[in-house]
Each structure stands twice: as structure tokens, then as C-alpha cells.
Amino acid sequence: MTYNFTDIVLNFVSVWQLPVPSISNLQADRGRQSLVVSWLVNHSGIVAEINEIQISRTESHTIIYNVNSHEHTWTWTSDLPLECVDHSVRIRYFYNQSAPSPWSKWVTNCGCKAKDKTKMFPFQRVLREGTSAMFCCVPPKGVNITSIAVKKSQYPLISIGARVKAISVENLTIPTTDINALLLSCGDTTGEEYSVWNYVSFPAQKPRNLSCATSQMTTVTCTWDPGRYRHPHDHNNQTRTLHIENSDQAPINCEPSSCTFAAIPKLEQYNIRVVVKDQLGEETESHSFNISDRVVPVVEWDRVSPGVADTTVSWIIQGNLTGLNLICQVSVDPGIKCSQCKSGSFSLNCNSASGRCKFKLEDLLPNTLYSTKVRCSVNGRLWGKWTHALPFKTCPFVTLNLWRRLKQTSEIYSRQVTLLWTLNAPGSATTETAQRYTVQWSQDGQNRTERKDGAQTQAEVLIGPGQCDFTVQAVLHPCPPINAHITIPKIDNRENLQVERRLSSSPAGGFNLSWPELSTATCAYTVEWCNQGNAVPCTLRWIKMQEGNHTLFLPASNFKAGRRYTFNIYGCTENGHRLLEVQTGYSQELRNVVKPVQSTPSSVTLEWHYNEDDPAHPAFITGYLVTVQEVGSNTRPDMLLEDPRKKSVTIEDLKQGHEYRFSVSALTKAGPGIPGTIPFRTRTNYSAHLAKILTPILLLLGCTILLWPQRKMLKRGLKEIFVYPAGMNIKSFEIDGFLHEAGERVQSHKVEECISCDIEILHTRPLLTEATALRDPEPLNTLCSPGSQSSPSSLSEPHKAYCPQSVELLSERPAPQQITCITNKSYFHTTVEDFSEPQEVTNSEINSTSEPSDCLQQSCSVVSGYISNDTS
């Protein structure tokens, strides 16, 4: 009978029991709530094909899990935290899938024991989002759990063993509170409530879009998309490491989304791997690249140099990229119309050994705000990031307008030069100012420099007789400086003063200037004038004309009406500016000129003093208008003097003893100005009246003297003739009073004050109807005090009365003086042909009235003589 080996073994197993397996190691990972079990392999001839593993909880070894495995190491993850209760493991194996071995002994991982207060699990553990979790409470002996809550929400209790209670929470979510934590609370029979914190998070994310680049060929930076946003207070701590697979360098710790490491010398190709690991998992991403193809230049601004219509920008490329084909793009906002730019950007090659590149932006507008940015690339593969937008403003179109004023000093060969300049920026809303000015001049081979601050706009320099060249430079940071030049010609004694030419004002006002073209004026013309007219002080204004233009219109809005302006026109030559013409005029002439005569009476001949060339006048003086008006009667025809230099006129055919009003006004193109008015009264000829009165009085006196010795006889005769009845009271003739009254009438002249005047009465003729002539003339001595002198011509002609006056403007009058005139009495003798009808003797007398103020401010001399009366 034959037996094979298998049958013999089976028979042996049935007779003998299989060996008992032994667990060599049980390791608990409480963070992951897992148990790792390993056992020894049976080295006997019996080989197990299947291993059966059982998991039990608590001291009673309640089986909760059973599984078969072909491995000798096995990992199990618990849904309940391992700290809650004891967890035990045992194994057995099957021989030939049918004969089981005995169970090994239980190997137990003990749970936590509470001594004095309840404990809760899990405790400060990171839980995976979206999963289910169990929470337990372990009380001390003799204490029972009454409630378990998560985020203050109570859940049904699950009994784990005799005392431990647990709950199950489905689909964990990340808290939205600031602390980003999950609150677990337990209540027991002691009345106490205990709480712990746990956290919910998500596992590590796989790096996305991993790429690497270098800017300086010395370091390499790899970047990736880290994926889902992680809360700053997330307790699921991550680690990120970069591994260079084809090198022996140690792993490199990284930032959440980037990693920088030093380039390995002579290594062109790189194979890298990025590993992201946290408490809930691990993710990996790999990448390969050639470092020469991953150059991304980094650019930083160097400077901006703005101009008026262009601006130069420069930048620096970091790192040593010599030998690489660098291409840069410059963008400008707002864009510039050009044929070489695309999408508002300029492209240029930048292969500078120093790493500094520059570019000029052209076709820009003056005084305009722009911004620019730049980026670069190697061979156009990878473009670096745009720099930050750099704002800049183009410079305004500023010109330095330079002029000069020359003044001869007391020394014949020394001149004072006043340089004046302005900064002109057309279209600018604000006045441009410079930081400082530099004034340079050279004469006779000597150079000098003077600096002025930005607030100064003029400089004074003493120079000699030779030609002098001036340069003024305005520093306008950050704009480039601007210069202006001017040449002072040498002294030329042959240069004649220009004759002043009058300008005619137009109806619309303003000035139309023109001058003959000068062939030697190679650098155009300059017109200067005082902004206040001819008044002082003078604020000089000037305009520089374009070459070839010799006409200029200045609108009236820049000038004041009634003010005289003088324009000096210079021709610019190679040797400096030469005065060509002097033109003067009014933008608009007015009539309100100052009255030429002050109001004081004197004589029938009017004479006045008036400066018709005074630049303070609001118009040119073209003549004078004399008006004579008899008070209470019509005005006589006006007298027009067309010569402005004639300042006297004789008024004839006036009536005696009448009041007149004389007025003189200066004429301009616009009409007569303010008149100077003089009230005047002609005198009456009293000579004839005196003769009629004195003749009977003198006869009576003569008879009285002759008959005085015979008074007694006459008294008796008269008494006999004129006998009145008794009782009548007749008064005697009071001859003394009568004689006194007659003497008062005879009195012809007395001491009187002389009223000063501006108008002089030279000659007055009596009326032709008066036939009485004066005999035995005796000159009347008239004294005017103080200090008045008579005209010699008037003294030589006794038949004239002449009082010359010094008529001046109010601003030129002397100090007030008191004037007194004393006139001697005149004795008149009458030629009588018939004593019964004596002729009437008259003496013409001039009565004048004036304001006291005028008399106090003037001086006068009066010469009186006899006035002859012609008998018709």
C-alpha cells in the first residue's frame, strides 16, 4: 500500500495541534487613530496561506473587527479615538485553507484612565474635513457621563464599555469663526462641564503649474499654485520641500508657493520634485527644465530725464546677463502715435555690458503728465514682470526772455547795466520759477559769474566802455537748464540821439508801431516801454520781434487811457542792440487835462504859463480855447489859439463897470480840458463926475474966503433982508459936514491890498464918448510887497497899466505870500472952455476879485499911469 507526503502531513495535523502564532509588535498611532500589527513568520515546514486578525475593545474583548490578510504586517484605523478604551489584537493562521491554528494571545493597547476629572478625546487634533468622527468622554470611577455636545449642540450618547460614552458626528466642516476651532463639551453626574478644542482642515494640495526661472543665472526660483486657500489660523501645519533629483543636494525647505535655491555650477538640466506634507496627507509634483531657457530679467528704474517734447528713461538689469540677447519693451501712458510701436510699447535691443539701458521717448506734449513702465526678456522666450509705472511730467515750453537797461555813470568810461529777465511758459496756468539763476559776463578777456536765487529777476553790473557779452542761465530741476544771451555794444560817441516821433491813437485804442527795416539787424528788433507810461518809477516791459518783422500792434487792454507811453525801438546786430527810433503817444487821448490858468484877475490882456509837453497829460496839447462871458449877458464868440506855445491873448471892446468871466482851457484831440476861470470887473471912469462936484464947491469956498472980512456987514444986510417971523427955528447951513462929505468924494485912491493874479491887464482904452482930458499927469507910484518888480517896458509908457504874473502849475507854486499894493492919490486938472458947463473928467478903475487862496500863492507887480481920454 502506497502513501504520499501530503496525506502523511494531514494525518499528522489531525493527530497533533498546529503551532500557536505570536504577535511580535503592536504600535499605536494616536494622531491617525491607527494600530500597526506585525507577527513572526513560522519557519517550520508548514506555511500559512491566510492570516485572520481580530480587534476587540474594552476589558471584555468585544470583537469589533475581523479580517483576513496574506501579509505579516497590518494597519488598522479606528473610528473611535484609541485613548477612549482598550483595544486588543489577536491572530491565527489557516493551514491549507482549512486547518486553523490556535489564536494568539491578546495584545492590548490601553486607553486612558481618568483619575480625578473627566477626560475627552480627541483633544487638539486636526480632523479631516468631510469625514465622520467619534468623540468620547472618559469619567473617573463612580462618575457617569450625562451629555456630550459639539459646538454646543448635544448628540445621542453611545455607550463604550461600562463608563465611557461617545457620540458620532457626520460630515465635519471647517468652522467659520475667527479661531477656526471645534468645541467639544462633556457633562457628568458631578455637575461639572469640561471642554476641549479640536480642529478641522483639509489635506495637502498637489502643487499645480510648477515652473522655474532665473534672473541672474546664480539662483533659481520655482513657483507653483498652492491650490486651495488655507486659513491663517489653520492648525494643519504643512511642510514643503524641493528635491533636486539629479544632484546630491539635501532637500530645500520652501515657502507655501515658491522655492529658491542656488544654481549648481555647470548644471544646465534640472530635475526637481516638490513635496507638500501635512497632518492629513502628502502630495508630490515633478518638473524638468534647462536653466538657459528660463532666464527672466529683473528690471529696476535708474532715472528719468524729462524734456519739453521728449524724455529719456534708463533702467538697470540685475545680474550678469552679458552675452545673452536681451530685448526690452517700454510702454507709455497715454500712448504715443508712432509707426515703430506696437500696442503702445516700444521694443529695443539692450546689450549693455554695464546692465544699464536707456531709451528716448519722443513726440511728447509739453507740460503733460505721463507714466512709463518697462520689462525685458532673453530671446523673447520669457518676459520679466513690468516695473511699477513711473510717473513723469514733460517740461513746459519755457523761454528765458533777457533784456538790459544802460545807464551812464559819473565816470565817462563806466556804464551800469541792469539785466532783466522773465520766464515765459505759453499755455501754462501757473508762473514757472527757477531754482536759481547764473549770470556770466565777459569783457576784455575777463570772465565773471554771479548767482541769483529763483526769486530774483534782475542783476546790476558795472562794465567798461568795450563790448560785453552776458549769459543768464535758469536752472529748472528736473528739466534741463535754459540759457539766454545778450551783447552790450561798445560806447560809440558818434551815435546820435533819436528824435521823438508822435504816435496817433486809433479809435479802438492801442498802438500800431512800425519802423523802417534795418539791413544790419540780423537778430530782429526789440521794443521797450515803461509799464506805467512816462511816470516814475518805471517798470520796464519789452517785446522781442521775430526776424524780418518790423511792425507791432499793442492792444489797448495793456495800457491805460490818458497816459503817455514812450517806445524805444532797438535793432539787434552782431555787436549788440542799437537804438533806432523813439515813438511816443497815447493809447487813447482824453480831454480832462489840467486847467492851464489859475483863477486870479489882473488885466484885459490874459497871459498864462503852461507846460504843454508834460508827459503827465493824458493827451497831446493842440492849442487853447479862450472864452469871454459878460455876467448876465450872452457869451461872446470863443477865441481859438491853434499854437500850443502861444500863451497870451488881448480882449478888447469891453464895457466899463461890467462883470466878466474869462476861461482858458487846453485843447486836445479829444476836445477841451478843464478850464481855468477868472472873474473880472471893469472900472468906471469917475473923472467927469468929480469935476462936476468939485467946481461949485470950490466956487463956494472962494466966495466965502473973499467975503469973510465983510461978514459983519453981510450979516446985518442979510438979517434985514431975511427977517423971519418970531417963533420960527431955522437951522443954519452946516458947511463943515458938507465939506467933509465932498472931501470924501474927492478922495480917489487909498492904500489897499493887491490881489494876486494869473491874468494880466496890459491896456484899457476909455470910451470914445468921454471928452475930458487929463492934464499935468503925475505918475502913480504903486508898491507891491513883498519883492515884486515892475516891468521896465511898463514904466517907460505911463499910459499903460501892466502887472506881469508868474502863472505856474499847482505843483510848482512858491510858498504863500501876503501882497499889499499902495497907490498914491492923483490930482486931476480939467481944461474948461465954458465954466458954466464943465467937461466931465473920468478916471478908469479896474476892480478885480479872486479867491484868497490864489492871492496868497502868487506874487504880482502893478504899475499904474494916467489914462488918456480922447474926445470925439
Side-chain angles (χ1 to χ4, degrees):
M1 184 176 182
T2 339
Y3 298 96
N4 56 25
F5 180 75
T6 303
D7 294 337
I8 296 173
V9 172
L10 289 174
N11 291 332
F12 177 77
V13 170
S14 61
V15 177
W16 303 98
Q17 188 176 7
L18 292 174
V20 178
S22 174
I23 297 176
S24 60
N25 186 26
L26 178 61
Q27 185 176 358
D29 187 351
R30 295 186 176 184
R32 297 178 180 274
Q33 294 186 178
S34 60
L35 293 175
V36 179
V37 183
S38 60
W39 55 89
L40 295 176
V41 177
N42 189 356
H43 293 286
S44 63
I46 302 174
V47 178
E49 296 179 359
I50 297 175
N51 297 313
E52 184 180 6
I53 307 170
Q54 287 184 344
I55 304 295
S56 68
R57 281 178 179 159
T58 69
E59 296 84 351
S60 60
H61 296 293
T62 302
I63 304 299
I64 61 172
Y65 194 79
N66 193 336
V67 67
N68 294 330
S69 174
H70 297 280
E71 304 294 334
H72 294 87
T73 299
W74 180 71
T75 301
W76 173 74
T77 301
S78 174
D79 57 351
L80 183 70
L82 298 179
E83 299 90 343
C84 294
V85 293
D86 295 342
H87 288 79
S88 301
V89 181
R90 70 177 181 176
I91 64 171
R92 70 177 178 176
Y93 59 89
F94 287 89
Y95 177 74
N96 200 21
Q97 298 182 359
S98 59
S101 69
W103 287 99
S104 67
K105 293 181 179 181
W106 289 100
V107 178
T108 302
N109 177 66
C110 298
C112 293
K113 308 301 180 187
K115 295 181 180 180
D116 53 354
K117 64 180 181 178
T118 300
K119 293 184 177 181
M120 293 158 287
F121 301 99
F123 170 66
Q124 293 187 351
R125 187 172 298 171
V126 178
L127 305 178
R128 188 182 182 113
E129 178 190 26
T131 61
S132 300
M134 293 187 69
F135 302 88
C136 70
C137 294
V138 180
K141 289 182 180 182
V143 178
N144 293 325
I145 300 300
T146 59
S147 65
I148 301 178
V150 175
K151 296 191 296 185
K152 297 184 179 182
S153 297
Q154 294 189 2
Y155 285 79
L157 299 179
I158 301 174
S159 297
I160 308 295
R163 293 176 293 109
V164 176
K165 297 293 186 295
I167 62 172
S168 178
V169 180
E170 303 292 333
N171 191 19
L172 295 175
T173 58
I174 299 175
T176 57
T177 58
D178 292 339
I179 61 176
N180 195 29
L182 196 66
L183 180 64
L184 174 64
S185 302
C186 287
D188 55 25
T189 55
T190 63
E192 296 290 339
E193 184 172 300
Y194 303 95
S195 301
V196 294
W197 294 99
N198 289 284
Y199 309 100
V200 181
S201 183
F202 55 89
Q205 303 287 296
K206 187 178 182 68
R208 294 176 297 180
N209 301 326
L210 177 61
S211 64
C212 299
T214 180
S215 61
Q216 304 174 357
M217 296 292 288
T218 56
T219 59
V220 179
T221 299
C222 297
T223 59
W224 60 86
D225 182 1
R228 183 178 174 182
Y229 169 76
R230 193 173 295 274
H231 195 276
H233 299 296
D234 194 304
H235 287 71
N236 185 15
N237 298 325
Q238 286 188 339
T239 60
R240 295 154 294 270
T241 56
L242 185 144
H243 304 263
I244 303 176
E245 301 291 339
N246 56 339
S247 73
D248 55 356
Q249 286 192 355
I252 302 158
N253 294 326
C254 304
E255 298 296 327
S257 60
S258 64
C259 198
T260 300
F261 59 92
I264 300 175
K266 299 182 181 180
L267 181 63
E268 290 286 331
Q269 190 69 30
Y270 286 80
N271 301 323
I272 63 169
R273 179 169 56 91
V274 177
V275 178
V276 180
K277 183 185 295 186
D278 60 18
Q279 300 178 42
L280 300 179
E282 178 181 311
E283 293 291 342
T284 301
E285 181 66 18
S286 300
H287 180 60
S288 296
F289 63 91
N290 189 310
I291 191 172
S292 298
D293 298 334
R294 310 302 298 176
V295 179
V296 179
V298 176
V299 179
E300 64 180 12
W301 285 113
D302 180 31
R303 67 179 59 182
V304 176
S305 301
V308 176
D310 54 50
T311 295
T312 300
V313 294
S314 61
W315 59 91
I316 298 175
I317 300 177
Q318 297 180 359
N320 184 10
L321 302 182
T322 305
L324 301 178
N325 184 23
L326 283 173
I327 301 174
C328 296
Q329 285 183 340
V330 181
S331 176
V332 182
D333 184 31
I336 305 172
K337 294 182 180 180
C338 63
S339 58
Q340 300 177 351
C341 55
K342 296 180 180 179
S343 301
S345 300
F346 298 85
S347 296
L348 66 150
N349 292 326
C350 183
N351 296 316
S352 174
S354 62
R356 179 179 283 103
C357 303
K358 65 179 180 179
F359 183 71
K360 178 179 284 189
L361 302 171
E362 298 179 340
D363 300 326
L364 304 178
L365 297 176
N367 199 29
T368 304
L369 184 64
Y370 291 91
S371 65
T372 182
K373 56 184 179 179
V374 64
R375 67 175 182 175
C376 297
S377 173
V378 174
N379 296 324
R381 292 190 180 96
L382 294 177
W383 285 96
K385 294 182 179 180
W386 287 101
T387 60
H388 67 275
L390 182 65
F392 68 91
K393 188 176 183 181
T394 53
C395 298
F397 183 69
V398 178
T399 58
L400 186 60
N401 191 4
L402 178 62
W403 187 235
R404 88 293 184 277
R405 171 179 282 180
L406 292 177
K407 181 180 180 182
Q408 185 67 44
T409 62
S410 58
E411 298 181 6
I412 188 171
Y413 293 114
S414 178
R415 294 175 291 174
Q416 181 179 0
V417 180
T418 301
L419 294 176
L420 305 105
W421 61 83
T422 59
L423 281 178
N424 298 332
S428 177
T430 57
T431 304
E432 299 294 332
T433 58
Q435 285 188 328
R436 64 180 182 276
Y437 295 97
T438 302
V439 181
Q440 297 177 336
W441 67 94
S442 61
Q443 187 179 39
D444 300 331
Q446 295 183 354
N447 299 324
R448 294 185 180 180
T449 302
E450 183 178 347
R451 287 180 173 82
K452 301 287 184 180
D453 58 38
Q456 295 178 288
T457 57
Q458 68 178 38
E460 293 186 355
V461 179
L462 288 176
I463 64 173
Q467 178 176 308
C468 187
D469 295 321
F470 284 91
T471 300
V472 176
Q473 182 183 76
V475 179
L476 306 169
H477 185 77
C479 298
I482 55 176
N483 299 331
H485 307 274
I486 197 168
T487 299
I488 307 300
K490 64 180 180 179
I491 294 179
D492 189 356
N493 296 326
R494 297 173 300 173
E495 187 173 349
N496 298 324
L497 294 177
Q498 300 296 323
V499 177
E500 186 176 288
R501 182 162 66 93
R502 285 189 176 184
L503 293 170
S504 297
S505 59
S506 61
F511 293 98
N512 281 305
L513 304 177
S514 63
W515 55 90
E517 188 172 3
L518 183 65
S519 59
T520 58
T522 57
C523 47
Y525 304 92
T526 300
V527 180
E528 73 170 13
W529 70 95
C530 291
N531 197 36
Q532 290 83 14
N534 290 357
V536 292
C538 171
T539 301
L540 196 65
R541 293 285 302 275
W542 68 92
I543 291 180
K544 293 186 176 181
M545 309 296 296
Q546 295 182 355
E547 188 174 353
N549 190 0
H550 51 89
T551 61
L552 175 64
F553 174 72
L554 298 174
S557 58
N558 297 330
F559 303 92
K560 288 188 176 182
R563 180 175 290 182
R564 185 181 298 182
Y565 294 86
T566 299
F567 300 91
N568 297 326
I569 302 172
Y570 293 85
C572 179
T573 66
E574 295 181 354
N575 298 324
H577 292 78
R578 298 288 182 180
L579 181 62
L580 302 180
E581 280 194 8
V582 177
Q583 300 182 15
T584 183
Y586 299 86
S587 63
Q588 183 179 357
E589 295 190 55
L590 304 178
R591 59 187 298 174
N592 56 335
V593 293
V594 180
K595 56 186 178 181
V597 180
Q598 301 301 320
S599 301
T600 56
S602 177
S603 66
V604 178
T605 298
L606 304 180
E607 184 175 287
W608 59 89
H609 296 282
Y610 196 69
N611 184 7
E612 67 277 359
D613 295 325
D614 189 352
H617 294 323
F620 292 114
I621 306 302
T622 60
Y624 301 95
L625 181 67
V626 181
T627 302
V628 181
Q629 181 181 7
E630 183 179 354
V631 177
S633 180
N634 296 330
T635 304
R636 299 180 60 174
D638 296 337
M639 302 179 63
L640 178 63
L641 280 69
E642 296 182 352
D643 185 2
R645 302 190 182 278
K646 182 178 181 182
K647 302 182 183 67
S648 65
V649 66
T650 300
I651 311 298
E652 298 181 350
D653 299 332
L654 299 179
K655 298 178 181 180
Q656 63 173 329
H658 285 69
E659 292 186 2
Y660 292 90
R661 186 174 297 273
F662 301 94
S663 63
V664 180
S665 57
L667 289 177
T668 66
K669 182 180 179 181
I674 303 173
T677 304
I678 302 99
F680 181 80
R681 181 181 181 86
T682 58
R683 294 181 179 182
T684 304
N685 190 355
Y686 292 102
S687 301
H689 298 286
L690 290 175
K692 292 178 181 180
I693 296 172
L694 292 176
T695 299
I697 294 174
L698 292 176
L699 289 175
L700 181 60
L701 288 175
C703 293
T704 303
I705 294 171
L706 292 175
L707 297 176
W708 186 254
Q710 305 296 330
R711 62 183 181 278
K712 292 181 179 181
M713 185 182 62
L714 289 175
K715 182 177 180 183
R716 288 193 301 266
L718 291 175
K719 188 175 181 180
E720 292 177 356
I721 296 172
F722 300 98
V723 176
Y724 296 94
M728 295 184 64
N729 186 13
I730 301 174
K731 292 184 178 180
S732 62
F733 180 69
E734 296 177 357
I735 189 65
D736 294 336
F738 175 75
L739 293 176
H740 176 73
E741 180 179 359
E744 289 293 327
R745 292 189 178 184
V746 171
Q747 187 76 19
S748 62
H749 291 84
K750 64 179 179 179
V751 179
E752 61 182 3
E753 292 184 357
C754 178
I755 305 300
S756 67
C757 58
D758 293 327
I759 300 178
E760 303 166 8
I761 303 176
L762 298 181
H763 183 206
T764 303
R765 295 180 180 176
L767 298 178
L768 297 177
T769 58
E770 299 173 354
T772 303
L774 302 178
R775 300 192 320 170
D776 299 332
E778 181 180 352
L780 301 179
N781 297 326
T782 303
L783 301 179
C784 296
S785 63
S788 300
Q789 296 179 0
S790 302
S791 173
S793 61
S794 64
L795 294 176
S796 62
E797 299 179 12
H799 63 278
K800 293 183 179 180
Y802 179 69
C803 183
Q805 303 298 321
S806 176
V807 180
E808 299 175 355
L809 295 179
L810 294 178
S811 61
E812 299 175 357
R813 292 180 179 176
Q817 299 178 6
Q818 183 176 1
I819 303 171
T820 304
C821 292
I822 302 175
T823 305
N824 294 337
K825 295 183 179 180
S826 300
Y827 298 92
F828 300 89
H829 298 274
T830 309
T831 303
V832 183
E833 295 180 359
D834 189 354
F835 288 98
S836 62
E837 293 181 6
Q839 297 293 323
E840 186 178 31
V841 180
T842 63
N843 179 23
S844 298
E845 179 180 359
I846 298 174
N847 296 325
S848 61
T849 61
S850 175
E851 297 176 1
S853 60
D854 292 334
C855 180
L856 294 178
Q857 294 178 3
Q858 301 295 335
S859 62
C860 74
S861 298
V862 179
V863 178
S864 300
Y866 294 99
I867 302 175
S868 61
N869 298 325
D870 298 331
T871 304
S872 56

